[in-house]
Amino acid sequence: MWDSDTIDVGIDLGTTNSALAVIENGEAVIVKSNEGQDVTPSVVWMPKPGSLFVGTGARPGLETDPDNAAAEFKLEMGLADARRTFPGASREMTPPQLSAEVLKSIRGDAAHRLGVAPRAAVITVPAAFTLNQNKATVEAAQLAGFDAGCPLVQEPTAAAFAFGFQDAEDRGYWMVFDFGGGTFDAAVVSKRDGDLRVLTHAGDPYLGGKLIDWAVVERVLAPAAAKELGLDGFRRDNLLWRPAFAQLKAAAEAAKIALSRRESVPVTIKLSLGPGRVEWFEHTLRRDELDAVAEPYYTRAINLCRASLREASLSESDIDRVLLVGGVTLAPGLRERLADPATGIGIALDTSLDPSTVVARGAAIFASTVRRPVTASAADAGAFTVDLAYEPSVTTTTPTIGGRVGGTAQGAWTGYGVVLANPDGRPPFRSARIGLNATGGFATDVDVDPHRTSRFTIALTDAGGAPQPLVPATFSITHRDVEFGGVRLAHSLGIQLADRVFAPLLRKGATLPARAREVFHTTSAMRRDSTDALLRIPVVQGERARGDRNRQVGVLEIQPRDVRIDLPAGTEVEVTFEVDADSLVTVVADVPLVQTQFEAEINLDEVRTTPPAELRGQLEEVQQRLAELRGTAPAGEARDRLGRLDAENAIVTARDQVDAAAIDAGAAAAAEERLRGLQADLDDIEDATKLPAETARLRDLLDEADLLAGTAADRQELARLRRQADEAADLRTVADLITQVTGVLVDLERRSPEWPVKLFFGLIQVLGDHGPAKPLIREGRQAIAHQDARALDAVNQRLVRLLPAEQQDQVIGLRRSS
């Protein structure tokens, strides 16, 4: 019977296939499914009431009974409106429920191997998964019978663990290239002096082998079938042809796998084309055809690799090898492309571990470092309890063990003591009797065997030396050459300011748990008698400079009824973000002026797909913006960015997902994410297009200010701004410098004798020469004629009071504290 202090079970819950690994004798071992396979297909088939198939037994249903079979539901995790219907069984299931069926099957395989069904497992998720997707994965684990709080670990991190624990090298940089069935992650890993950590990652939660399969169907197989069989309107989004497209999709996936070992594959399908009509379709698919179709997806993956390198401030020459993960990496065309320094990244490929199971292996290794909760209590066992503090996986052979004994002691705790022993150690270990302090606490060092799991006993005796029952009475520690650098935050978290700027409080890559606090100020007043006033602060996650180009995950709201007094413009708001080790997020806003705190509503259960019609509108907007930029973008960075979008076939891919959105919730989610990303890319291209002109404007303002500088302090400040202008490389920095230089220029002009006159004519332009301003303007002109500076100042002050008062924003935002 399996018995361990640590979780020891790792599950790769994949889009296409899932895998299970457990720790046995310190090694990660892949556990085969009931069908004797290393992987379990992530497929559910319910052909009739009371009949449910999972895994290998469910795969035939994808072709023979597509209406009652479900696959690739991982891409719909976290979407409140995503449902799969099974008419034959009269059932409807959510993606977490479907994932739970896969996890139940895998948990059963684990029970067969271990002798008992595990209550906890480490489950992997893509690094690019968002908060709602992670939450849905935890929900699926609970539905499958696991205890609440199953740890999640990111897939590239798990893969790095698997490679790192079999590698004797002690120093180096690696790149994890994880191209799975539905998602892609590129991660840069550092191994230094026994410390293994993921430095950074870049990914796409909707870039996977599924896209390549559908591209083969829609660009190769479906057109050939339509031509050969005379089929009108033969499109994926036409429900009339759903059975036929399900068969073509399955054939494309099988042919793609076969082309990993062959140059060409015959595709022969008995297509179901409607009631009573079945036609044979034959086509020979060549490897070069597959590579041509897959090329844009390979390009996007490689571009994401380069982005992760830039973020880590590394180049290709710094990376020792690329760790291949995911079934797509078996494709020879992709491997050749990756190894090419001109079109790929030109780094040696590591194929030493099976890319289909390496993530599960790494998850199990991570699980061996996570302690299982102790469920026994002193009341149940009639024993004392001990709360131990130790690391289950260590790189030292003399770790420290601490603990506190609980229960009702007969007399003072100081009369009690514990003895720790490892009788099977090499050599055996036994501590001296360690006396407990006044609160029942103790600490000591123990000896562990190198590269083995050492199992210790802990015995409690009272003041008279009599043994006392203690729970738990054993614990184990595994010695390894490598330790983990900690779980990292997958996406930056922050708030969207009033000007739509994203203000990140916790940056991507922060070690969890993490906490951050920052002070902001309201941009406008909030009056308690205003029913429309509302302080609404969107909570978003992502990496884009514009807040609305990231994903909103919650909102902080402060309404007038929630505060005791009116809040003036500039009121301080302290925003605090906390993320625990399981990536659960808490956001609190504190308004010191009224001594009140407000917690954000992080509602991850209501994330929904965007309606297809709205997606089409967004696609048209993106296409229009792209066409305009093609005509205006100058040579240089803007043109290079446009070229990258073309190489990734970005618009075509987005259009494919929009077309499929009506029949595929996963495609709708992918379309929304891709369009949001394209809008952000176009924002960057627009900024790069405007940058030369704005940079020139900045230099003109600096030249103008130089002419007015009258003191050494003025010249020193302008010299500082000019140095910053020389280093400015993006539009946002240039815009900020323009604002600063304009402020300096206005200040210099205010000191000049001509300033009151300039201000007077500026106010005329704003107010116009009519209404209540008219007599004041006439009076001002007279003051100018008589060179009466004091009279002109008085006129200017009265004119300023005629300007419209600042309009109360219906939605009040924040600005950063200066």
Side-chain angles (χ1 to χ4, degrees):
M1 180 72 70
W2 170 67
D3 182 28
S4 175
D5 302 323
T6 47
I7 292 177
D8 288 359
V9 177
I11 298 174
D12 174 14
L13 183 61
T15 304
T16 306
N17 295 299
S18 297
L20 165 69
V22 299
I23 296 297
E24 293 182 352
N25 299 318
E27 298 294 328
V29 178
I30 294 297
V31 178
K32 293 186 182 295
S33 67
N34 287 335
E35 291 81 11
Q37 304 296 317
D38 284 348
V39 297
T40 296
S42 302
V43 183
V44 175
W45 180 30
M46 287 190 288
K48 59 182 180 180
S51 180
L52 187 149
F53 300 91
V54 177
T56 303
R59 279 196 68 88
L62 293 175
E63 296 183 57
T64 61
D65 189 18
D67 288 339
N68 292 304
E72 298 172 349
F73 35 81
K74 177 178 176 178
L75 302 179
E76 301 166 19
M77 293 287 274
L79 297 175
D81 54 343
R83 297 286 189 278
R84 296 291 184 100
T85 57
F86 301 85
S90 300
R91 286 193 64 182
E92 182 180 81
M93 297 182 74
T94 65
Q97 289 171 333
L98 291 164
S99 296
E101 294 299 331
V102 176
L103 289 173
K104 284 179 188 176
S105 177
I106 292 173
R107 188 167 182 247
D109 295 334
H112 181 74
R113 178 73 174 228
L114 302 172
V116 61
R119 299 198 60 81
V122 167
I123 301 173
T124 64
V125 292
F129 252 24
T130 52
L131 294 178
N132 57 302
Q133 292 171 310
N134 287 339
K135 182 177 182 295
T137 304
V138 173
E139 178 187 342
Q142 291 181 247
L143 292 173
F146 290 107
D147 288 343
C150 274
L152 303 181
V153 66
Q154 296 162 7
E155 290 167 6
T157 302
F161 293 162
F163 279 97
F165 276 84
Q166 68 153 9
D167 190 333
E169 289 184 15
D170 199 39
R171 300 178 68 82
Y173 288 112
W174 307 334
M175 160 107 30
V176 176
F177 186 91
D178 185 357
F179 208 145
T183 61
F184 175 79
D185 284 305
V188 177
V189 179
S190 168
K191 188 179 182 185
R192 287 287 184 276
D193 302 322
D195 179 72
L196 183 72
R197 65 180 62 230
V198 175
L199 299 181
T200 186
H201 82 271
D204 185 334
Y206 299 102
L207 174 64
K210 171 187 175 179
L211 285 182
I212 298 174
D213 297 339
W214 278 118
V216 170
V217 170
E218 295 178 320
R219 309 211 207 302
V220 180
L221 299 183
K227 182 178 180 180
E228 180 180 325
L229 303 175
L231 305 175
D232 293 329
F234 194 57
R235 301 188 314 275
R236 176 184 172 191
D237 59 341
N238 187 336
L239 292 178
L240 175 66
W241 307 114
R242 182 179 179 184
F245 271 85
Q247 293 166 323
L248 289 171
K249 168 69 162 57
E253 183 180 347
K256 180 186 69 178
I257 294 170
L259 285 171
S260 297
R261 296 177 176 84
R262 300 163 60 181
E263 291 294 331
S264 65
V265 175
V267 177
T268 304
I269 315 170
K270 194 176 182 180
L271 286 177
S272 301
L273 300 174
R277 185 183 177 190
V278 176
E279 298 278 0
W280 283 98
F281 166 66
E282 295 184 4
H283 180 86
T284 298
L285 185 64
R286 303 186 313 276
R287 184 184 287 177
D288 61 340
E289 282 183 294
L290 172 65
D291 288 341
V293 167
E295 174 64 22
Y297 309 111
Y298 295 167
T299 299
R300 175 156 177 75
I302 289 167
N303 285 341
L304 287 168
C305 286
R306 292 169 177 158
S308 67
L309 286 172
R310 286 194 300 271
E311 192 171 327
S313 300
L314 297 171
S315 67
E316 288 85 346
S317 61
D318 296 312
I319 307 299
D320 299 297
R321 52 202 168 110
V322 174
L323 315 179
L324 296 185
V325 181
V328 177
T329 63
L330 293 169
L334 174 57
R335 292 189 176 189
E336 292 170 7
R337 173 76 185 273
L338 275 174
D340 188 329
T343 60
I345 50 179
I347 303 171
L349 306 182
D350 187 330
T351 59
S352 58
L353 292 178
D354 180 357
S356 300
T357 59
V358 62
V359 169
R361 290 180 188 275
I365 293 170
F366 180 77
S368 71
T369 70
V370 182
R371 292 168 58 186
R372 287 196 300 153
V374 178
T375 56
S377 68
D380 295 336
F384 291 96
T385 60
V386 58
D387 183 14
L388 293 170
Y390 67 97
E391 293 296 330
S393 179
V394 297
T395 55
T396 176
T397 55
T398 57
T400 299
I401 310 297
R404 188 176 303 281
V405 177
T408 303
Q410 298 298 320
W413 278 119
T414 50
Y416 285 68
V418 293
V419 174
L420 280 62
N422 174 19
D424 297 325
R426 302 175 183 175
F429 170 85
R430 182 181 178 86
S431 74
R433 185 176 187 271
I434 308 158
L436 304 186
N437 63 21
T439 60
F442 68 91
T444 189
D445 291 343
V446 298
D447 293 338
V448 299
D449 295 331
H451 309 111
R452 293 183 66 226
T453 297
S454 300
R455 191 159 187 82
F456 290 84
T457 60
I458 176 169
L460 175 69
T461 55
D462 63 15
Q468 300 296 318
L470 187 65
V471 178
T474 63
F475 65 95
S476 59
I477 299 177
T478 300
H479 175 267
R480 306 182 190 275
D481 289 326
V482 178
E483 64 181 356
F484 305 139
V487 178
R488 300 300 187 95
L489 185 65
H491 304 276
S492 296
L493 282 164
I495 64 173
Q496 179 178 318
L497 302 180
D499 57 359
R500 296 191 300 183
V501 168
F502 176 44
L505 273 76
L506 286 172
R507 293 281 186 179
K508 181 179 90 170
T511 302
L512 300 182
R515 185 177 188 272
R517 171 187 168 277
E518 189 165 345
V519 176
F520 298 85
H521 291 86
T522 58
T523 57
S524 300
M526 173 184 282
R527 298 181 178 83
R528 297 187 73 246
D529 59 358
S530 174
T531 58
D532 294 331
L534 173 68
L535 176 54
R536 188 175 190 277
I537 311 170
V539 179
V540 297
Q541 69 173 144
E543 314 308 321
R544 303 294 189 175
R546 264 184 61 172
D548 58 346
R549 299 303 191 211
N550 296 313
R551 179 176 291 278
Q552 182 171 319
V553 296
V555 65
L556 276 163
E557 286 190 354
I558 302 175
Q559 300 188 40
R561 65 173 180 268
D562 298 324
V563 295
R564 302 187 309 274
I565 60 174
D566 292 346
L567 298 181
T571 297
E572 279 193 1
V573 178
E574 299 176 358
V575 180
T576 302
F577 273 66
E578 289 191 63
V579 186
D580 66 15
D582 294 321
S583 296
L584 296 178
V585 180
T586 303
V587 185
V588 174
D590 185 14
V591 184
L593 185 64
V594 292
Q595 298 182 340
T596 306
Q597 286 190 340
F598 305 86
E599 186 165 346
E601 180 181 354
I602 309 293
N603 189 349
L604 302 177
D605 296 323
E606 289 301 321
V607 179
R608 297 178 178 273
T609 54
T610 303
E614 188 174 333
L615 290 173
R616 290 199 177 279
Q618 293 177 12
L619 177 62
E620 290 175 4
E621 179 185 347
V622 166
Q623 289 174 315
Q624 182 177 352
R625 288 186 68 192
L626 185 58
E628 292 172 356
L629 284 169
R630 289 193 197 284
T632 59
E637 182 184 358
R639 281 288 167 191
D640 291 343
R641 287 173 178 261
L642 287 171
R644 283 199 291 272
L645 292 181
D646 290 340
E648 293 177 7
N649 224 6
I651 290 294
V652 173
T653 301
R655 187 184 302 118
D656 287 346
Q657 299 305 304
V658 170
D659 289 344
I663 60 170
D664 184 345
E672 179 186 4
E673 185 72 19
R674 203 161 295 280
L675 288 170
R676 185 189 295 116
L678 277 170
Q679 291 279 29
D681 289 336
L682 295 179
D683 291 342
D684 293 342
I685 293 170
E686 283 184 350
D687 286 352
T689 299
K690 297 174 183 175
L691 184 60
E694 290 300 287
T695 300
R697 179 182 166 211
L698 171 60
R699 298 197 181 285
D700 289 344
L701 288 171
L702 284 166
D703 291 343
E704 185 178 349
D706 280 338
L707 296 175
L708 296 174
T711 67
D714 292 339
R715 289 188 290 273
Q716 186 176 1
E717 173 65 6
L718 288 172
R720 181 187 68 82
L721 291 170
R722 194 174 288 279
R723 285 194 301 271
Q724 291 186 8
D726 292 338
E727 297 171 359
D730 61 85
L731 188 65
R732 187 170 299 280
T733 302
V734 170
D736 180 62
L737 286 170
I738 286 175
T739 301
Q740 292 184 55
V741 175
T742 300
V744 171
L745 195 56
V746 169
D747 183 58
L748 292 172
E749 287 185 334
R750 282 180 188 274
R751 298 185 223 156
S752 71
E754 295 83 9
W755 169 248
V757 176
K758 289 183 178 180
L759 176 60
F760 175 74
F761 287 108
L763 290 169
I764 293 176
Q765 286 185 322
V766 174
L767 295 169
D769 191 3
H770 56 273
K774 189 171 183 178
L776 290 173
I777 291 172
R778 183 169 54 251
E779 187 178 337
R781 292 184 188 279
Q782 291 174 352
I784 292 172
H786 292 89
Q787 297 183 358
D788 189 341
R790 181 173 298 178
L792 183 58
D793 282 340
V795 169
N796 283 339
Q797 291 177 25
R798 284 181 285 169
L799 285 172
V800 167
R801 287 195 289 270
L802 294 178
L803 292 171
E806 183 182 11
Q807 297 298 315
Q808 174 90 23
D809 290 336
Q810 194 167 9
V811 177
I812 307 172
L814 296 179
R815 59 177 169 81
R816 278 191 183 274
S817 177
S818 57

